[in-house]
Amino acid sequence: MKAVVLAGSTMGTLSVLCVLRRLPDRLTRNKRQSVGKPCDMGAQHSGIVDDCSGGWDGEIPQGNQGRRPHRPGTAARGNPLGPAVRADHASAGRAALLLLVPVRLDLPEHGADDSQSSAAEAHGPWSPCARDASRRTPPPWRACMSIFTPQTRARPGLRSIVIWTAVSIVGAIAWGVIALARGERISAIWLVVAALCSYAIAYRFYARFIARRVLKADDRRATPAERLDNGIDYHVTDRRVLLGHHFAAIAGAGPLVGPVLAAQMGYLPGTIWIIVGVVFAGAVQDMVVMFLSMRRDGKSIGQMARDEIGRVGGVAALVAVFSIMIILLGVLALVVVNALAKSPWGTFSIAMTIPIALFMGFYLRVLRPGRVVETSVIGVGLLVLAIVAGGWVQDSSWAGAFTLKPETLVFCLVGYGFVASVLPVWMLLAPRDYLSTFMKIGTIALLAVGVLVTAPVLQNEAVTKFAFSGNGPVFAGTLFPFVFITITCGALSGFHALISSGTTPKMIQKESQVRLVGYGGMLMESFVAVMAIIAASLLDPGLYYAMNSPGGVVGTTFQSAATAVTNLGFTVTPDTLQAAAAAVGEPTLVSRTGGAPTLAVGISEIFSGFLGGAGLQAFWYHFAIMFEALFILTTVDAGTRVGRFMLQDMLGNIWKPIGRVSWLPGVWMTSAAVVGAWGYFLYTGVTNPLGGINQLFPLFAVANQLLAALALTVVTVILVKSGRLKWAWVTAIPLAWVAAVTMTASYQKVFSTDPKMGFFAQRQRFADALEQGKVLAPAKNLDQMQQVVTNSTVQLVLSALFAVLIIIVIVDGARTCLQAIIRGRELPTTETPFVESTIVAPAGLFATADERQELVSAGAGAFAAGTDQQRGGRRRDGDG
């Protein structure tokens, strides 16, 4: 394990070396001025053509030379005439030739007509001059030019080198401390620093590499939101609002609960998987799936499998994806119901977010279009008021009105899920998710500040004995594969692929924004998981195991729990357990399984350490419970809408009209079917402790990661089919890893001889006891014993079925990849044809100086009004 962490610190050191490698060039090179002139429509130019697929047209807005052009894979700044032509690195001779001859910037024409034939004869069919020759009136800010300078890779400035060198060094030191600290407690600060530095380096370098070199994001191409805008599902959305929606939709129970449970193995395995997993697997999956879905009009991952892999693998994928989706939604909804069933504070506060979100949606679209910051300030103010008012309601005579039964909450969730699925996305779903993100990020950021201020020491071991024995009291299984199954959303989650191929690709403004929304959104969720494992590891191990062990292990009293935990090798007294419960205002914390109560206790300890002291720990505990419910609910509404998309895609293969998202009867019918499916399992689970969704709960983690294996298979196949075989390793490596993990876990869950782990062994154990008339926990009578046998049978069959379906998809995908490799050429894909975009918008969270200049050149200032400003972008002058 130490070697693994040392590898992390080595990665940081290598990052330093990579940055420093450019330092001598930066300090010694001379700035070269490029020379260019408008090309003569009748002149003959050199036939050297840029080899980057989907290149750019070399047209420079007049009066705005030097800003970053819309071209994937380049960041050529400082050139007064725009980008230079990239040298073909595969041929040194050609690179030398580029130094001597004029180079024409070429772009494949999309939708060219016969009027370009004369220009094409003079300059070649790919010439930008051939493009402009067909225009009756070229846009005034464009000029057809030839550049007489070689392409040079943009070099980092001295300030950038210093900053990233410092980040790399600090990150390497933090990883080194984590790796080398043995036999002593370390501060949680080191985990926070290691995570933040790793995220920064990954986003700055690896994510940009994927966007530019692998995906070749092209901001000249119109996204589905721009081309198909119908104001319901397809809607051009400001990147900041969309980031909030995407983060809220993907960040559910996983990053909160999974790391808490995985702390049974120690803080080190989970932390490594959360950070390394998100950098190389989770964020990559989200970003690539989002991009490829966007290039296919926002198709779901199941339909993409059907279109790109083939009928056999596609049908298997559609069945697996939709079935797993219903299970995931049911489980997430059950967590929300359990959190809100006895919390009038949480019920009131969450209910108030709905009218607040509706107000924000209309405010941003109708009353004050484009005022994102203004709307955010109002919305956050109202949200804070709702949270504070929830505390007042809990202590008032209104508490009874907002203390709802679980059955009532089920109907409320089903009704809300249906409404959120059919209403226009700008009206409720997007603003509510955006609003929820402020609370989510604000709480997590405050936790990080609390860690930095109080510098708490981790009480948990780096690696516990349960990591290798597999007999832990929280859950059975060894470190491999179950740490990588227990921690899903914080590192890699198949559910994210559903969102990335569901709502988000239908709302994104520009292709380059997939880096911010896809990769950046996943990094944000990963940090949530880091804070969750820190919160769990700050607790005394005796309290942790007393809370998370089932009642059959620790009993129900303080005395029985203290005895059981002591037998596990940890020290805790009944007085300690009683004092911990009294501090958070609970009658008991014994056997409060599931992870959520443990996280709430950890959060309350951090907050009370620097905000209010021990006297406010109970307040912060109940705030954390409400926060968790709000955190998870946003995945249910977005997931329901995505489930509707998936069902429409699937049924659209049989009957075309229902596959159209603009056909309202189809929207209503499929939405009702989706909420009816997960609502049935949820209601049955609430009314029967051993039935309904409780039957399927044990399948949640493995099924989610199987879905990730499916998604990575689909995107790998598309990369290979589209001629990007040399970059397929970006998704193939995480695919190989998650396939190994999930298949191992599936095999053990089915065939393990340990009844705590294997469904078959569990079924046999309860069936034998039932024949003898015995009652085993958790059953309380013979009828429940029969229910446990039935549940184990269902879990056994579904686990095997899901694994087989994913194997079919992987094998069929491998066949398609092999076919493309053998043919040695690209295979047809379902990517939509190029349509030129008329929107200019920043790629990142904050516009750069070049992007601000480009917005001005496009014909609208930063404060111009109109619908295009409301969408966070500007229309180019002369383009409508």
Side-chain angles (χ1 to χ4, degrees):
M1 184 61 67
K2 183 183 295 186
V4 175
V5 186
L6 284 174
S9 60
T10 302
M11 180 180 68
T13 304
L14 290 176
S15 300
V16 177
L17 296 177
C18 290
V19 174
L20 291 178
R21 181 177 65 84
R22 297 181 181 272
L23 186 56
D25 291 338
R26 174 67 181 88
L27 297 177
T28 60
R29 78 177 190 273
N30 294 322
K31 295 182 180 179
R32 297 183 178 179
Q33 299 295 325
S34 301
V35 180
K37 62 181 181 179
C39 60
D40 182 357
M41 296 297 293
Q44 297 290 337
H45 292 287
S46 168
I48 296 177
V49 178
D50 175 41
D51 68 331
C52 182
S53 61
W56 81 99
D57 55 12
E59 297 167 337
I60 310 302
Q62 294 182 2
N64 192 30
Q65 288 87 355
R67 77 168 187 274
R68 181 178 59 81
H70 283 299
R71 182 189 190 248
T74 63
R77 294 176 178 160
N79 187 338
L81 292 178
V85 178
R86 182 167 67 89
D88 186 353
H89 299 288
S91 170
R94 183 174 176 183
L97 186 59
L98 286 172
L99 297 172
L100 303 176
V101 297
V103 176
R104 187 171 62 251
L105 304 180
D106 299 335
L107 171 71
E109 171 59 35
H110 302 272
D113 54 30
D114 293 338
S115 63
Q116 298 182 5
S117 57
S118 60
E121 292 175 359
H123 302 286
W126 310 109
S127 169
C129 297
R131 282 170 48 98
D132 287 344
S134 66
R135 295 175 175 156
R136 295 179 181 179
T137 306
W141 56 276
R142 295 196 173 193
C144 179
M145 306 191 72
S146 291
I147 307 299
F148 291 79
T149 182
Q151 166 70 6
T152 57
R153 198 182 293 270
R155 297 186 180 277
L158 181 59
R159 185 180 66 172
S160 176
I161 292 175
V162 171
I163 290 174
W164 289 107
T165 299
V167 171
S168 302
I169 292 175
V170 172
I173 292 174
W175 278 112
V177 171
I178 296 172
L180 299 176
R182 291 295 178 271
E184 63 182 49
R185 306 300 183 186
I186 69 169
S187 172
I189 291 178
W190 293 113
L191 272 65
V192 173
V193 172
L196 292 178
C197 291
S198 299
Y199 297 154
I201 293 171
Y203 184 80
R204 171 61 177 80
F205 297 102
Y206 192 50
R208 188 168 72 163
F209 160 77
I210 295 174
R212 295 185 173 188
R213 300 292 296 276
V214 180
L215 301 179
K216 295 184 172 64
D218 184 0
D219 276 349
R220 295 176 306 108
R221 178 190 287 262
T223 63
E226 181 180 356
R227 291 186 292 104
L228 306 176
D229 192 346
N230 61 5
I232 300 177
D233 295 315
Y234 294 92
H235 178 67
V236 178
T237 306
D238 183 275
R239 67 199 182 283
R240 295 159 292 186
V241 176
L242 185 60
L243 175 63
H245 158 72
H246 184 75
F247 171 73
I250 64 175
L256 298 177
V257 175
V260 173
L261 301 179
Q264 172 184 261
M265 304 289 187
Y267 67 80
L268 187 56
T271 300
I272 293 175
W273 169 234
I274 290 170
I275 298 175
V276 176
V278 73
V279 168
F280 296 107
V284 173
Q285 173 205 252
D286 293 10
M287 178 181 178
V288 176
V289 169
M290 184 185 301
F291 180 86
L292 296 178
S293 174
M294 180 176 57
R295 284 282 180 98
R296 287 155 181 80
D297 287 344
K299 291 293 184 183
S300 66
I301 191 68
Q303 188 60 40
M304 288 166 63
R306 171 67 176 81
D307 294 339
E308 302 292 350
I309 294 179
R311 180 167 298 179
V312 175
V315 171
L318 287 169
V319 173
V321 169
F322 188 73
S323 302
I324 293 174
M325 181 70 170
I326 296 301
I327 293 175
L328 299 183
L329 289 175
V331 170
L332 293 172
L334 180 62
V335 175
V336 175
V337 169
N338 290 337
L340 296 181
K342 298 180 181 180
S343 176
W345 184 1
T347 302
F348 175 84
S349 298
I350 290 177
M352 289 300 100
T353 62
I354 297 176
I356 294 173
L358 289 170
F359 169 76
M360 290 177 64
F362 281 99
Y363 191 90
L364 191 59
R365 184 178 177 89
V366 179
L367 300 179
R368 298 280 286 173
R371 307 299 181 180
V372 175
V373 175
E374 180 180 312
T375 308
S376 302
V377 171
I378 297 174
V380 171
L382 293 175
L383 175 63
V384 172
L385 179 61
I387 294 172
V388 174
W392 299 339
V393 168
Q394 181 170 256
D395 299 328
S396 70
S397 59
W398 290 9
F402 290 94
T403 303
L404 304 181
K405 295 181 179 179
E407 295 85 350
T408 305
L409 286 171
V410 170
F411 287 110
C412 291
L413 280 180
V414 169
Y416 169 71
F418 177 81
V419 172
S421 177
V422 300
L423 283 182
V425 69
W426 59 265
M427 187 181 296
L428 176 61
L429 185 65
R432 188 184 178 280
D433 288 349
Y434 178 60
L435 182 66
S436 300
T437 297
F438 280 100
M439 182 179 176
K440 294 182 177 184
I441 294 299
T443 303
I444 297 302
L446 199 59
L447 274 176
V449 172
V451 169
L452 296 177
V453 171
T454 61
V457 176
L458 301 180
Q459 301 299 316
N460 196 8
E461 299 176 77
V463 182
T464 68
K465 59 184 179 181
F466 303 123
F468 304 103
S469 66
N471 60 353
V474 180
F475 63 91
T478 56
L479 189 154
F480 181 87
F482 287 102
V483 161
F484 312 103
I485 294 296
T486 305
I487 299 177
T488 55
C489 293
L492 171 65
S493 172
F495 180 79
H496 294 191
L498 305 182
I499 302 299
S500 295
S501 62
T503 55
T504 309
K506 297 179 177 66
M507 302 162 65
I508 197 165
Q509 289 174 313
K510 307 298 292 183
E511 289 194 348
S512 61
Q513 292 173 359
V514 297
R515 181 186 175 203
L516 169 67
V517 179
Y519 202 96
M522 182 56 185
L523 291 182
M524 291 163 56
E525 190 196 33
S526 180
F527 190 62
V528 174
V530 170
M531 297 309 301
I533 201 168
I534 288 176
S537 298
L538 291 176
L539 300 181
D540 180 82
L543 175 60
Y544 171 84
Y545 288 107
M547 291 186 64
N548 290 281
S549 300
V553 175
V554 297
T556 58
T557 66
F558 295 132
Q559 183 62 51
S560 63
T563 302
V565 171
T566 301
N567 293 335
L568 291 173
F570 304 96
T571 302
V572 68
T573 65
D575 292 340
T576 301
L577 295 177
Q578 185 175 7
V584 296
E586 291 286 342
T588 182
L589 292 176
V590 173
S591 192
R592 295 291 300 273
T593 58
T598 304
L599 177 62
V601 172
I603 291 175
S604 68
E605 287 198 2
I606 296 174
F607 279 168
S608 62
F610 77 110
L611 291 175
L616 286 180
Q617 187 171 354
F619 169 85
W620 290 121
Y621 172 82
H622 290 285
F623 170 83
I625 292 294
M626 186 271 297
F627 161 74
E628 292 169 2
L630 176 64
F631 208 100
I632 299 168
L633 181 60
T634 53
T635 63
V636 177
D637 51 15
T640 300
R641 197 180 192 97
V642 171
R644 187 251 290 179
F645 292 149
M646 291 166 48
L647 187 57
Q648 285 188 275
D649 283 344
M650 186 161 48
L651 297 179
N653 294 312
I654 303 173
W655 187 38
K656 295 297 183 183
I658 204 169
R660 298 197 302 265
V661 294
S662 59
W663 191 50
L664 292 183
V667 170
W668 297 333
M669 287 188 294
T670 51
S671 297
V674 171
V675 297
W678 63 258
Y680 165 77
F681 287 113
L682 176 62
Y683 184 82
T684 308
V686 167
T687 56
N688 180 2
L690 295 176
I693 197 60
N694 296 302
Q695 285 182 316
L696 308 177
F697 198 99
L699 303 175
F700 176 84
V702 176
N704 188 41
Q705 296 304 72
L706 284 171
L707 195 56
L710 183 151
L712 288 168
T713 299
V714 173
V715 297
T716 302
V717 169
I718 294 176
L719 290 179
V720 174
K721 287 181 64 177
S722 59
R724 288 173 275 196
L725 175 61
K726 68 177 181 178
W727 304 123
W729 59 267
V730 171
T731 54
I733 291 177
L735 167 60
W737 170 255
V738 73
V741 167
T742 52
M743 293 306 158
T744 302
S746 297
Y747 179 85
Q748 293 186 12
K749 294 296 286 185
V750 173
F751 297 109
S752 174
T753 57
D754 183 357
K756 295 180 180 179
M757 184 188 309
F759 295 135
F760 185 82
Q762 183 185 77
R763 180 190 183 281
Q764 193 62 42
R765 176 171 177 260
F766 278 83
D768 293 342
L770 185 62
E771 290 181 358
Q772 300 173 12
K774 297 180 180 179
V775 177
L776 304 177
K780 297 180 180 179
N781 52 52
L782 292 180
D783 289 339
Q784 290 189 354
M785 285 289 292
Q786 183 60 55
Q787 182 70 60
V788 172
V789 173
T790 302
N791 290 354
S792 300
T793 304
V794 172
Q795 293 159 5
L796 170 70
V797 172
L798 288 180
S799 291
L801 176 62
F802 289 154
V804 169
L805 289 174
I806 301 305
I807 290 174
I808 292 174
V809 175
I810 293 175
V811 171
D812 205 16
R815 175 194 60 81
T816 304
C817 290
L818 185 61
Q819 184 181 26
I821 295 171
I822 291 174
R823 292 188 179 183
R825 58 181 175 84
E826 297 181 16
L827 297 181
T829 68
T830 56
E831 182 174 301
T832 55
F834 177 95
V835 174
E836 188 167 4
S837 173
T838 60
I839 294 178
V840 177
L845 188 61
F846 303 102
T848 65
D850 292 335
E851 288 170 338
R852 287 194 296 270
Q853 188 176 7
E854 186 173 16
L855 290 171
V856 173
S857 297
F863 299 99
T867 58
D868 297 318
Q869 183 190 6
Q870 180 252 338
R871 296 168 175 174
R874 313 285 183 265
R875 296 286 180 180
R876 292 190 177 114
D877 286 349
D879 289 344

